[in-house]
Amino acid sequence: MDRLPETGNAIFFLAATTGTPGQVVLVELQAATEADVEAFDVVAQSVYIEGEGVSSKDITNNAATTNYALISDDAGLLTAEVPDTWSDVYSGEWLLDDGPIGIQLSAATDLEGYDNSWNVPGMFIGLTDQYADTAPADVLDAFDYSESCTEKERFDYDDGQLPGKYDIWSKCGDIDAIYVIMALNPAVNPDQLALITVQIPDDSYLDAFQHLLETVVIGDMAAGGGGSEPISNVTAVVQVDTLNVRSGPGTNYSVVTQVRQGTALRVTGQVDNCGWLQIVTSDGAAGWVSGNARFTALAGGSCGDVPRVAAPSAPAAASGSSSSGGSSSGGSSSNARQGCYLFQNQLGSEITITFTRKGDGWNRTFKVGKGVEQRECLDPGKYTYTLDAPPPWGSSNGELEVAAGDNYLFPIRGE
């Protein structure tokens, strides 16, 4: 930063490479006030460069479609959805040192390769009741991959069902793989320890990691197995005149039936920290309703009393006019002079979103909490946007053209 002798204004220079050999980007901003100084930080974080050779990972769209398969251990206590290419599946005793300590479920494209290299994607889930007095942080400290991985970060984790901590080991092996290890105490029985590991050879498997977290269900060893349906005494009371019951947890699923205000629905499961509730109506119709407080209110318990369940596979995305890949929400905009988007945060963490309008550089930054649906409206125009999420997702850039009267969904799924 330098100051101009004539005016005393501050002038900032930012030089950055784009990843293309020989290509450099120079950003210059002159600040006349303190507000302009703060604006430089926003510009530096949201600048988007369009052109050949510039690449970024877009967590809202993924050209490749991953098909998932539901797997379970023999007792039905551990279930999750994994890519159907992870077809090498093992269920059995979790062995440590000289004997079994619990049960395990693992899957990979090749389990032997998963155990002995960094370039095979896969996962492991273990459940034990023999480490009730060991804190998750102490469990993670017992695993040291510093000889193969050069970086490690530790984070808290709590999705309402599986609180604990996790480590992200990165730059592992010759291919810079990512290895995630999670130590969790299931809410269904905090005296149990669940250990989840996921090996991510490259960014194309990040969506599989996110999907695993969204669908994993861990039962109570003390209650026994058998794969019976989780039991919940919680009901959801409808708060609006008419509420759609859908075939899955999202507005992209088909409508099964409708229920009226005041109707009590039996809740049998949930996803996204009760963002969507799996329910059964009084006449036996099964489906999903929004868990947003505007639409439903829980009675007879809290979200922590509702078991997390695996969601059905999402239907094929419908084509729409939105360049974000969202589908029309079917309603009218709250402001006919603006375009509005319902941001659906389906990641396991808060997201910071910055929109910058092309031409005049106007920008706006807002946050969308974990599992939250948040409506935002913008004036017509062409925008670039930046989505910032914590590891392992990182940042993503994209473009969006907003038209007056737009009313679209903007799902953020970690794909």
Side-chain angles (χ1 to χ4, degrees):
M1 181 187 77
D2 293 322
R3 290 194 176 273
L4 300 178
E6 298 87 353
T7 63
N9 292 350
I11 185 167
F12 296 84
F13 295 96
L14 172 65
T17 60
T18 65
T20 300
Q23 190 177 73
V24 177
V25 176
L26 179 65
V27 179
E28 176 183 335
L29 183 142
Q30 186 175 161
T33 67
E34 289 299 322
D36 295 332
V37 174
E38 294 180 6
F40 175 74
D41 183 58
V42 175
V43 171
Q45 294 183 47
S46 61
V47 64
Y48 176 75
I49 308 300
E50 180 180 14
E52 184 177 358
V54 181
S55 63
S56 63
K57 182 177 183 297
D58 186 349
I59 65 175
T60 65
N61 292 291
N62 189 355
T65 300
T66 301
N67 295 317
Y68 292 93
L70 181 66
I71 60 173
S72 175
D73 74 305
D74 295 336
L77 291 173
L78 309 174
T79 62
E81 288 188 7
V82 299
D84 58 6
T85 55
W86 298 10
S87 55
D88 194 359
V89 179
Y90 173 77
S91 167
E93 292 181 324
W94 181 8
L95 302 176
L96 184 66
D97 297 330
D98 296 328
I101 62 169
I103 59 174
Q104 69 155 296
L105 175 67
S106 52
T109 55
D110 172 33
L111 283 175
E112 184 176 356
Y114 174 74
D115 290 334
N116 297 289
S117 72
W118 294 107
N119 60 0
V120 176
M123 70 91 200
F124 165 92
I125 305 173
L127 182 64
T128 178
D129 57 6
Q130 297 187 24
Y131 291 87
D133 298 328
T134 306
D138 294 333
V139 174
L140 295 178
D141 289 340
F143 296 86
D144 184 4
Y145 300 98
S146 57
E147 292 187 0
S148 300
C149 309
T150 60
E151 296 181 6
K152 183 186 81 168
E153 295 180 275
R154 179 164 295 178
F155 302 91
D156 293 326
Y157 185 82
D158 189 357
D159 62 356
Q161 299 292 321
L162 295 170
K165 295 182 181 293
Y166 67 102
D167 286 346
I168 296 179
W169 293 85
S170 56
K171 298 184 178 180
C172 302
D174 296 333
I175 62 171
D176 290 344
I178 296 173
Y179 190 73
V180 182
I181 180 167
M182 312 180 73
L184 312 165
N185 296 121
V188 67
N189 185 345
D191 289 334
Q192 296 177 149
L193 170 70
L195 189 75
I196 299 176
T197 66
V198 183
Q199 189 158 284
I200 307 170
D202 58 63
D203 285 356
S204 66
Y205 294 100
L206 286 173
D207 61 330
F209 169 60
Q210 173 65 21
H211 194 82
L212 173 68
L213 294 185
E214 292 174 349
T215 60
V216 63
V217 179
I218 295 179
D220 185 358
M221 294 178 67
S228 59
E229 181 180 348
I231 298 174
S232 168
N233 294 319
V234 178
T235 59
V237 181
V238 179
Q239 302 295 298
V240 292
D241 291 341
T242 303
L243 182 65
N244 289 329
V245 178
R246 297 182 177 273
S247 60
T251 54
N252 54 324
Y253 290 84
S254 60
V255 176
V256 175
T257 186
Q258 292 182 323
V259 287
R260 299 295 182 184
Q261 187 174 31
T263 302
L265 308 169
R266 183 166 64 90
V267 180
T268 58
Q270 59 88 12
V271 297
D272 297 335
N273 199 23
C274 286
W276 285 86
L277 305 173
Q278 184 186 56
I279 60 90
V280 177
T281 67
S282 58
D283 58 2
W288 295 77
V289 297
S290 172
N292 189 295
R294 292 177 296 172
F295 305 111
T296 54
L298 295 181
S302 64
C303 184
D305 300 316
V306 181
R308 186 170 59 181
V309 297
S313 299
S319 60
S321 60
S322 168
S323 60
S324 72
S327 57
S328 174
S329 64
S332 61
S333 171
S334 61
N335 185 342
R337 294 188 299 272
Q338 292 185 312
C340 297
Y341 290 79
L342 183 64
F343 293 86
Q344 300 174 314
N345 182 359
Q346 299 173 20
L347 294 183
S349 181
E350 182 181 70
I351 301 172
T352 300
I353 304 177
T354 298
F355 273 81
T356 302
R357 188 164 54 211
K358 293 184 176 181
D360 60 7
W362 177 92
N363 62 76
R364 181 183 175 196
T365 299
F366 55 91
K367 297 180 183 294
V368 181
K370 178 180 71 173
V372 169
E373 292 185 347
Q374 183 170 317
R375 185 180 179 83
E376 299 289 342
C377 299
L378 300 167
D379 291 335
K382 294 183 178 181
Y383 295 81
T384 61
Y385 63 81
T386 300
L387 310 179
D388 288 315
W393 300 284
S395 297
S396 169
N397 295 324
E399 293 188 349
L400 185 68
E401 183 171 357
V402 178
D406 277 355
N407 192 32
Y408 291 103
L409 303 177
F410 196 116
I412 304 170
R413 302 190 182 94
E415 298 176 347

